[in-house]
Amino acid sequence: MSDTKYIFVTGGVTSSLGKGIIAASLAKLLQARGYKTTIQKLDPYINVDPGTLNPYEHGECYVTDDGAETDLDLGHYERFLNVRTSQANNVTTGRIYQSVIEKERRGEFLGKTVQVVPHITNEIKYRVQLLGNSGEYDMVITEIGGTVGDIESLPYIEAVRQLLWELGESNGIVIHLTLVPYLSAAGELKTKPTQHSVKTLMESGIKADILVCRTEHEIPDELKEKLALFCNVKREAVIQSIDASTIYDVPILMQEEGLDTVVLQKLGLPNNTEPDLTQWNEFLNRHKNPKHEVTIGLIGKYVELQDSYKSILESLIHAGAANEVRVNIRSIHSEHLSEKNLVKKLNLLDGVIVAPGFGKRGIIGKIRAVQYARENGIPFLGICLGMQMAVIEYARNVLGLKDANSTEMDASTSDPVISLMEEQKNVINKGGTMRLGAWDCELAENSIVRKVYNDVRSISERHRHRYEFNDAYKAPLEEAGLKASGINKETGLVEIIELEDHPWFIGVQYHPEYKSTVANPHPLFVGFVKAALVQKLKRTSASLA
Ligand code: GLN
């Protein structure tokens, strides 16, 4: 058995308590003490991956370098830790069952009856230990999705119980995240839901080692003592997690509460160093003390749910901090963007992002937004579908190809400027048919994007789409001024477009937002926010003159 230590994070009382942020914050603190740390998320739903889920269900689908379509919590892990994750970091019930059933079909169970215990639980245990056994990590933090007591979570909880028993004391611990609600009528914080949740966990044979208690008000000492006594944990293992103004404060708050110290204690590890959070604190400082502000319009069709564009919003925070600028986001529903209200909705924006997306709904509004940004010199960043909309807009309004479209939206368009590649045309299965994960891209010399990427020649970015820029239109579009400034060398596919005679107009077929982290803000977002500020300052000085 490896020396890797395992930390399991379970949740009680209610969902949406922010297990992912707590797990990422703890990982950050352990990493800042020099431990090689990774995080894994186990999702109890039956989809094999979240790739086929509508963003309204679970928010954005996050994509890793190896092309795994994963839960958005992996985005938090990467942004906090600046460490790459992969398929192994996100496992769903669907995937577990898929591999067990495939093994059964191959006859690997030698005629045995295949059951939840031991076959499903063994598969879960195997997946949990995969990262630990790689030898790359000192600590693996495994977050169990859902809430204890859910039918779906039971096999995971049982697998954790077995693992704890097998690993032995101080090699595996459980952190249970619960809610301590405030009843305003009584003017009191209540511990009963936490007591019940810990009891539910005990019924499955698991004793929580540490309680992290989400709360809107400070938990007084005597209440912490009560929680400790009734929930059978040490007093120092009752950690308060109070609402924070930004998720990036949570590692600091957890450090103040001593979460990392008690974790090390329970794991039998020395606690003779302090976490080095210099870089993190510098980022926080810049984020909280901006010198300027800009307003960016985010044009998308899932804007009702902030989680749908999680990585884009976080990338703008990183880029804002890098530029010492507060980035205000105005979410604009593309379906509500009409000829009539266009100017009113867009004219005070310092920059426009047209978001990724699938399907026809809302694309007219996106095309209008691109045109407005192009014609009015507003910095523009088109991401994936947003880049495709920029190509369509240019073809229609500059080249005069009025019918130009993507074959995703209109299969019989006479000018398919965005279309499927030949080899994709016969695929009907929606799951797993996209261009996914990291692809290389060569940046054209003397291009704007080359400068944005600090003059590197070749970059690697993550993709998640089916449709592509149609090469047949490259020459006429370039002649008309829309340059293809990033190309994948092997396939010849156009990955980036840009306009020369515009302050900042870039469309990318990939998703830069998946790679922006606190330690490494993404150059495209940094460049975009900077351009938005420059344009804003120009505008204000022009209006003063
Ligand atoms: N729907 C487009 C495609 O499949 C764009 C996808 C996206 O924005 N992620 O190509």
Side-chain angles (χ1 to χ4, degrees):
M1 187 154 292
S2 72
D3 305 331
T4 308
K5 307 272 186 186
Y6 290 86
I7 301 166
F8 299 96
V9 182
T10 58
V13 185
T14 165
S15 58
S16 303
L17 290 181
K19 268 192 305 240
I21 301 293
I22 294 293
S25 299
L26 172 61
K28 183 77 226 168
L29 294 175
L30 295 172
Q31 184 196 48
R33 285 173 179 268
Y35 292 105
K36 282 178 270 146
T37 309
T38 190
I39 320 186
Q40 177 187 47
K41 170 100 191 261
L42 306 181
D43 275 313
Y45 50 71
I46 299 181
N47 304 63
V48 172
D49 61 44
T52 52
L53 285 173
N54 182 321
Y56 291 127
E57 295 281 318
H58 286 269
E60 142 193 300
C61 170
Y62 185 77
V63 179
T64 54
D65 272 344
D66 65 343
E69 296 179 275
T70 73
D71 185 81
L72 60 78
D73 273 347
L74 266 73
H76 292 308
Y77 306 162
E78 289 205 11
R79 287 188 282 273
F80 275 51
L81 297 182
N82 199 36
V83 164
R84 299 283 168 240
T85 56
S86 69
Q87 182 65 73
N89 296 76
N90 190 200
V91 178
T92 69
T93 295
R95 192 169 292 278
I96 300 276
Y97 271 79
Q98 191 184 43
S99 43
V100 171
I101 291 169
E102 277 166 8
K103 281 184 194 159
E104 186 272 333
R105 290 291 86 185
R106 288 196 299 267
E108 287 184 28
F109 297 115
L110 307 172
K112 287 272 184 221
T113 308
V114 181
Q115 294 177 295
V116 173
V117 182
H119 301 98
I120 296 296
T121 45
N122 281 350
E123 182 71 25
I124 296 172
K125 289 195 304 188
Y126 163 75
R127 300 266 178 167
V128 168
Q129 289 174 294
L130 214 53
L131 288 166
N133 291 343
S134 72
E136 282 176 52
Y137 303 105
D138 304 316
M139 310 266 191
V140 177
I141 301 179
T142 301
E143 177 193 346
I144 318 280
T147 309
V148 294
D150 293 350
I151 293 175
E152 288 91 341
S153 319
L154 280 175
Y156 292 100
I157 299 293
E158 169 59 12
V160 170
R161 186 197 66 74
Q162 291 183 16
L163 266 174
L164 290 169
W165 186 83
E166 286 167 12
L167 290 164
E169 229 174 278
S170 81
N171 287 325
I173 58 167
V174 173
I175 299 178
H176 190 55
L177 186 63
T178 76
L179 176 69
V180 177
Y182 180 76
L183 290 192
S184 47
E188 266 184 299
L189 285 165
K190 290 294 182 189
T191 63
K192 196 71 87 188
T194 300
Q195 295 181 42
H196 279 290
S197 169
V198 168
K199 193 172 144 203
T200 308
L201 201 55
M202 292 262 234
E203 280 166 10
S204 302
I206 295 180
K207 179 188 166 308
D209 295 290
I210 298 169
L211 292 181
V212 174
C213 305
R214 294 283 290 114
T215 176
E216 290 174 1
H217 299 268
E218 292 281 341
I219 304 178
D221 271 348
E222 61 277 15
L223 220 66
K224 285 189 177 169
E225 266 152 36
K226 183 175 169 185
L227 279 163
L229 179 66
F230 290 168
C231 299
N232 208 13
V233 299
K234 291 250 164 61
R235 162 62 190 82
E236 65 271 20
V238 178
I239 305 289
Q240 158 183 295
S241 167
I242 199 156
D243 287 356
S245 60
T246 154
I247 54 169
Y248 299 105
D249 270 339
V250 180
I252 310 294
L253 293 173
M254 288 301 102
Q255 187 194 11
E256 283 167 10
E257 280 284 307
L259 176 62
D260 52 335
T261 316
V262 65
V263 163
L264 293 178
Q265 235 171 49
K266 299 263 169 204
L267 291 173
L269 292 169
N271 175 25
N272 44 16
T273 53
E274 276 296 303
D276 179 5
L277 291 166
T278 320
Q279 208 190 12
W280 190 269
N281 281 321
E282 277 167 15
F283 157 79
L284 267 181
N285 203 13
R286 283 193 308 272
H287 172 54
K288 290 186 174 176
N289 301 296
K291 298 206 169 92
H292 300 279
E293 62 183 308
V294 295
T295 302
I296 303 295
L298 175 62
I299 325 286
K301 66 173 173 179
Y302 308 114
V303 291
E304 302 89 337
L305 184 69
Q306 288 286 305
D307 273 0
S308 309
Y309 301 116
K310 195 81 206 160
S311 293
I312 294 179
L313 299 177
E314 298 305 322
S315 302
L316 286 168
I317 290 178
H318 308 157
N323 284 295
E324 294 181 280
V325 171
R326 180 198 315 282
V327 180
N328 304 312
I329 309 289
R330 190 159 306 153
S331 298
I332 300 173
H333 202 302
S334 50
E335 273 185 303
H336 304 158
L337 209 49
S338 66
E339 210 62 83
K340 254 185 162 168
N341 64 19
L342 188 73
V343 177
K344 199 170 135 233
K345 289 205 180 215
L346 304 186
N347 81 343
L348 291 177
L349 298 177
D350 305 311
V352 166
I353 293 183
V354 174
F358 291 83
K360 226 175 176 156
R361 191 163 65 87
I363 65 154
I364 305 282
K366 287 189 171 174
I367 294 175
R368 282 192 182 119
V370 177
Q371 183 175 7
Y372 188 86
R374 180 175 63 77
E375 291 177 347
N376 293 284
I378 301 175
F380 167 84
L381 176 60
I383 303 178
C384 209
L385 184 69
M387 173 265 202
Q388 298 175 352
M389 292 301 118
V391 174
I392 293 170
E393 191 277 321
Y394 210 76
R396 284 185 188 178
N397 299 329
V398 179
L399 279 186
L401 306 174
K402 291 292 168 222
D403 191 40
N405 215 331
S406 161
T407 51
E408 177 181 8
M409 318 304 168
D410 175 6
S412 56
T413 170
S414 48
D415 284 302
V417 289
I418 305 292
S419 67
L420 282 183
M421 286 185 301
E422 279 311 309
E423 57 268 33
Q424 290 173 299
K425 289 189 178 156
N426 297 322
V427 180
I428 43 165
N429 195 353
K430 289 273 183 206
T433 59
M434 283 193 269
R435 181 145 80 100
L436 284 167
W439 288 67
D440 289 339
C441 170
E442 299 286 313
L443 304 179
E445 239 165 279
N446 301 322
S447 60
I448 301 168
V449 83
R450 177 85 169 247
K451 269 190 229 101
V452 170
Y453 275 92
N454 305 313
D455 211 27
V456 293
R457 221 178 64 203
S458 177
I459 54 166
S460 164
E461 294 281 4
R462 300 182 196 170
H463 290 245
R464 180 174 185 252
H465 57 100
R466 285 193 187 85
Y467 296 83
E468 304 285 351
F469 181 105
N470 184 345
D471 220 39
Y473 291 87
K474 190 168 144 202
L477 282 166
E478 287 212 307
E479 219 154 281
L482 190 76
K483 302 287 179 214
S485 53
I487 309 274
N488 173 266
K489 258 195 154 166
E490 277 159 56
T491 57
L493 290 168
V494 172
E495 312 282 38
I496 307 174
I497 51 113
E498 65 181 44
L499 275 183
E500 271 165 356
D501 54 353
H502 188 283
W504 207 97
F505 188 103
I506 296 176
V508 290
Q509 186 57 83
Y510 50 83
H511 291 264
E513 71 273 23
Y514 294 145
K515 282 186 79 170
S516 186
T517 69
V518 167
N520 270 324
H522 196 288
L524 265 179
F525 285 95
V526 175
F528 172 67
V529 168
K530 191 170 169 194
L533 178 65
V534 169
Q535 281 312 105
K536 179 184 170 170
L537 296 178
K538 265 193 197 158
R539 233 187 19 222
T540 31
S541 65
S543 70
L544 287 177

